[in-house]
Amino acid sequence: MVTQPDLISSVNEPETPALGLWQQIKEDWIAHGRDWTRPGFRAVAIQRFGVWRMKIEPKILRAPFSILYRALFRKVRNSYGIELPYTVQLGRRVIIEHQSCIVIHGDCVIGDDSIIRQGVTLGNRYLDRPFDAPKLGARVNVGAGAKIFGNVTIGDDANIGANAVVLCDVPAGATAVGLPAKVISPKSGDKTS
C-alpha cells in the first residue's frame, strides 16, 4: 500500500510547543540576540506569559496572573507600539525585529522562526468576518510596513516586501511585493496575480 505524502503546510497544523514557559522565553531571548531590553523580546515574552497563565485552574488562582498580564500587555502596547495578544498562535523563535505600529489580530497564526518588522499589520479584511486572520507559515519574512489582511495563508519561507498589501494567499518560497501585492514566483521570477 502506497501512502500519500503530507501535502498540508505547517500553517494548517500549528505546533503545540513541548517547552515550558521558561524554556520558551529562553529560546526567544537567544533568538533576539540575548538582549532582554529589546521591545520585541519583551512583547513575545509577555505573550508567552499570557498563554501560560490561561492554563492555571481554578480561575481564582489565575486572577492575579491575569491582572499582571493585562498590565504588562498594555505597557508594551502603549510604550513600544506592539500589540501581540495571548490568543495569537505564536510559533517558536519568532522575532519582532523593531518596535512601533505593530498590530497583530488575536486569531493569527505565526509559524516558527518568522520575522516581523516595524509597521506591520496582520488583521481582518471585512467587518462582517471579524475572526478572519492571516496564517503565516514557518520562516516567513515580513518587511517593514507590510499589511496582510483577511483569511490568507502565507506559505513557509515566503517573503513579504516592505509596504506590501497582501490580500491573497502567497505560496511557499514566493515573494509578494507591491500595492496590492503581486506574487513573484520563486524560480522563474515571473509575476502572477
Side-chain angles (χ1 to χ4, degrees), residues 162-173:
N163 297 317
V165 177
V166 179
L167 303 173
C168 62
D169 291 350
V170 177

Side-chain angles (χ1 to χ4, degrees), residues 7-75:
L7 299 177
I8 300 173
S9 171
S10 63
V11 171
N12 296 329
E13 295 179 14
E15 181 179 311
T16 27
L19 300 177
L21 175 65
W22 294 113
Q23 289 95 1
Q24 284 182 323
I25 290 175
K26 181 178 180 185
E27 193 174 68
D28 293 326
W29 174 68
I30 292 168
H32 282 87
R34 298 177 185 265
D35 185 358
W36 66 271
T37 64
R38 291 179 69 178
F41 166 70
R42 291 180 178 191
V44 169
I46 290 166
Q47 191 273 350
R48 305 270 191 223
F49 173 72
V51 171
W52 171 83
R53 58 120 185 157
M54 290 304 291
K55 297 175 186 172
I56 298 173
E57 292 293 336
K59 287 184 179 181
I60 191 73
L61 294 177
R62 183 188 319 153
F65 294 103
S66 293
I67 292 168
L68 177 61
Y69 165 74
R70 288 186 189 115
L72 293 171
F73 173 80
R74 284 175 175 79
K75 172 70 175 161

Side-chain angles (χ1 to χ4, degrees), residues 82-137:
I82 302 172
E83 192 168 332
L84 181 63
Y86 76 93
T87 54
V88 172
Q89 292 181 31
L90 195 62
R92 295 174 60 180
R93 299 172 304 275
V94 171
I95 297 174
I96 297 181
E97 192 65 43
H98 304 289
Q99 68 186 46
S100 191
C101 302
I102 298 172
V103 179
I104 300 176
H105 190 286
D107 292 319
C108 278
V109 176
I110 301 174
D112 297 345
D113 302 303
S114 294
I115 299 175
I116 296 174
R117 292 181 177 77
Q118 72 274 14
V120 168
T121 299
L122 306 177
N124 66 339
R125 184 173 177 188
Y126 302 107
L127 291 176
D128 59 338
R129 291 186 266 176
F131 302 112
D132 284 356
K135 294 166 186 58
L136 279 61

Side-chain angles (χ1 to χ4, degrees), residues 155-189:
D156 295 346
D157 301 301
N159 294 298
I160 308 300
N163 297 317
V165 177
V166 179
L167 303 173
C168 62
D169 291 350
V170 177
T175 300
V177 294
L179 177 71
K182 302 283 186 208
V183 177
I184 300 172
S185 173
K187 295 179 183 172
S188 64

